[in-house]
Amino acid sequence: MHAITIPEPGGPEALVWAEVPDPVPGEGEVLVDVAAAGVNRADVLQRQGHYPPPPGAPPYPGLECSGRISALGPGVTGWAVGDEVCALLAGGGYAEKVAVPSGQLLPLPEGVDLVTAAALPEVTATVWSNVFMISHLRPGETLLAHGGSSGIGTMAIQLAKAVGARVAVTAGGPEKLAACQELGADILIDYREQDFVEEIRRATDGAGADVILDIVGAKYLARNLETLALNGRLAIIGLQGGVKAELNLATLLSKSAAVTATGLRSRPLAQKSAIIAAVREHVWPLIGGGRVRPIVHSTVPMREAPEAHRLLESSAHVGKILLTT
């Protein structure tokens, strides 16, 4: 088969389409012929040499894919050759084939085609696990999603609205904010022109945000704490603004607040399987019912992965970028 390899870390040009050995499904795994793969910020970090795959994972980037099952490994039940699926991966999505633990497979949601389904596993698993399973967003509460026009952000808006929460977003510029508003965002903040701390305080009559989903990290830590409501929950899922910052424990204590930080890729298989099961139970019916939909900015042939990475790094997109085989 062919896959996108990274002979040496570097810029987008470091991604090389090359012939590699076919994967073989092990115990509890299936082999998927890849139709499409999602492009994520973590893939950029891996390309740059900052985010190596966990032990046992394929060396190729790609944390989610869609495709058809072409073989079953020992011990797999509930799936059959020919099934159309999408999957959460520890790596290897930028390839023509990938071996996937069966607990990380999802059937295609009703009304979603095979290619578009590749936009779903990473964002739905990330948002559902952080916003709902860990931070317990409830109806009537306020969610602040940083990067509202990203793949994660567009899914967070829709899922939060579906459960009856109020949604605030930060994004860069009126076009991206308009896209967030179309998806249901109630409070629109242009981070280039406005201070989100003040805007949230004004919009909530000083109460603050109950849950904050943060992709920025260190740069926003102090301001996120200021923005949290009493008993607020800050979920950090990205480090685009750095990895080290000072945490004011007095502020945290005064608000009885909580800070969590999670990633999906390195979690044990059992945890990932539990998250995928929760997504299938809670999110898939919303997608099948038309209340939530994947947002795809563009599709790019997989052999042109460098162009997809350039687009992602430009931040000119809204929603997901997909690679197609």
Side-chain angles (χ1 to χ4, degrees), residues 154-224:
T154 54
M155 183 55 62
I157 293 168
Q158 296 180 82
L159 288 178
K161 294 299 291 184
V163 302
R166 189 183 189 197
V167 180
V169 296
T170 61
E175 291 185 4
K176 290 188 175 183
L177 289 173
C180 294
Q181 185 175 38
E182 183 181 347
L183 292 172
D186 305 287
I187 304 164
L188 309 172
I189 304 167
D190 187 339
Y191 69 83
R192 297 172 180 171
E193 306 289 340
Q194 298 169 288
D195 179 359
F196 70 81
V197 180
E198 291 301 322
E199 295 301 322
I200 294 295
R201 183 177 291 127
R202 184 179 301 114
T204 61
D205 295 325
D210 299 288
V211 176
I212 300 176
L213 186 63
D214 178 46
I215 61 172
V216 178
K219 182 180 178 181
Y220 275 9
L221 180 60
R223 295 165 67 199
N224 278 333

Side-chain angles (χ1 to χ4, degrees), residues 4-310:
I4 292 293
T5 63
I6 309 172
E8 294 290 339
E13 69 283 352
L15 301 173
V16 177
W17 183 247
E19 190 167 357
V20 299
D22 284 10
V24 176
E27 180 76 27
E29 294 183 334
V30 306
L31 188 65
V32 174
D33 289 342
V34 175
V39 179
N40 293 283
R41 293 280 176 181
D43 304 334
V44 172
L45 292 175
Q46 181 172 339
R47 187 201 76 214
Q48 295 170 338
H50 303 314
Y51 194 25
Y60 325 118
L63 300 181
E64 59 190 340
C65 75
S66 61
R68 294 179 180 87
I69 295 176
S70 58
L72 303 178
V76 172
T77 59
W79 301 97
V81 171
D83 284 350
E84 293 187 333
V85 297
C86 55
L88 183 70
L89 309 172
Y94 289 22
E96 293 176 321
K97 300 175 185 291
V98 64
V100 185
S102 61
Q104 292 169 217
L105 293 173
L106 287 158
L108 299 195
E110 183 179 348
V112 178
D113 66 79
L114 185 60
V115 168
T116 303
L120 288 170
E122 180 74 13
V123 295
T124 55
T126 297
V127 173
W128 192 261
S129 63
N130 283 279
V131 175
F132 299 96
M133 295 174 74
I134 296 175
S135 299
H136 304 290
L137 181 70
R138 293 180 288 267
E141 290 190 324
T142 297
L143 167 72
L144 168 59
H146 290 300
S149 62
S150 66
I152 292 289
T154 54
M155 183 55 62
I157 293 168
Q158 296 180 82
L159 288 178
K161 294 299 291 184
V163 302
R166 189 183 189 197
V167 180
V169 296
T170 61
E175 291 185 4
K176 290 188 175 183
L177 289 173
C180 294
Q181 185 175 38
E182 183 181 347
L183 292 172
D186 305 287
I187 304 164
L188 309 172
I189 304 167
D190 187 339
Y191 69 83
R192 297 172 180 171
E193 306 289 340
Q194 298 169 288
D195 179 359
F196 70 81
V197 180
E198 291 301 322
E199 295 301 322
I200 294 295
R201 183 177 291 127
R202 184 179 301 114
T204 61
D205 295 325
D210 299 288
V211 176
I212 300 176
L213 186 63
D214 178 46
I215 61 172
V216 178
K219 182 180 178 181
Y220 275 9
L221 180 60
R223 295 165 67 199
N224 278 333
L225 290 185
E226 285 186 65
T227 306
L228 279 178
L230 188 66
N231 298 311
R233 291 85 75 194
L234 168 61
I236 300 171
I237 60 169
L239 301 170
Q240 295 180 31
V243 299
K244 291 184 179 181
E246 185 173 283
L247 176 64
N248 188 326
L249 294 177
T251 301
L252 201 63
L253 284 167
S254 70
K255 297 188 175 189
S256 298
V259 178
T260 59
T262 69
L264 278 173
R265 189 179 200 181
S266 60
R267 288 194 184 196
L269 289 179
Q271 289 187 20
K272 288 194 242 188
S273 295
I275 291 169
I276 290 299
V279 165
R280 184 170 181 174
E281 178 183 356
H282 298 287
V283 180
W284 254 223
L286 296 173
I287 297 173
R291 298 180 64 190
V292 173
R293 59 189 174 93
I295 306 300
V296 176
H297 180 272
S298 58
T299 59
V300 178
M302 192 171 289
R303 63 180 64 240
E304 297 175 19
E307 184 56 36
H309 274 222
R310 291 186 185 98

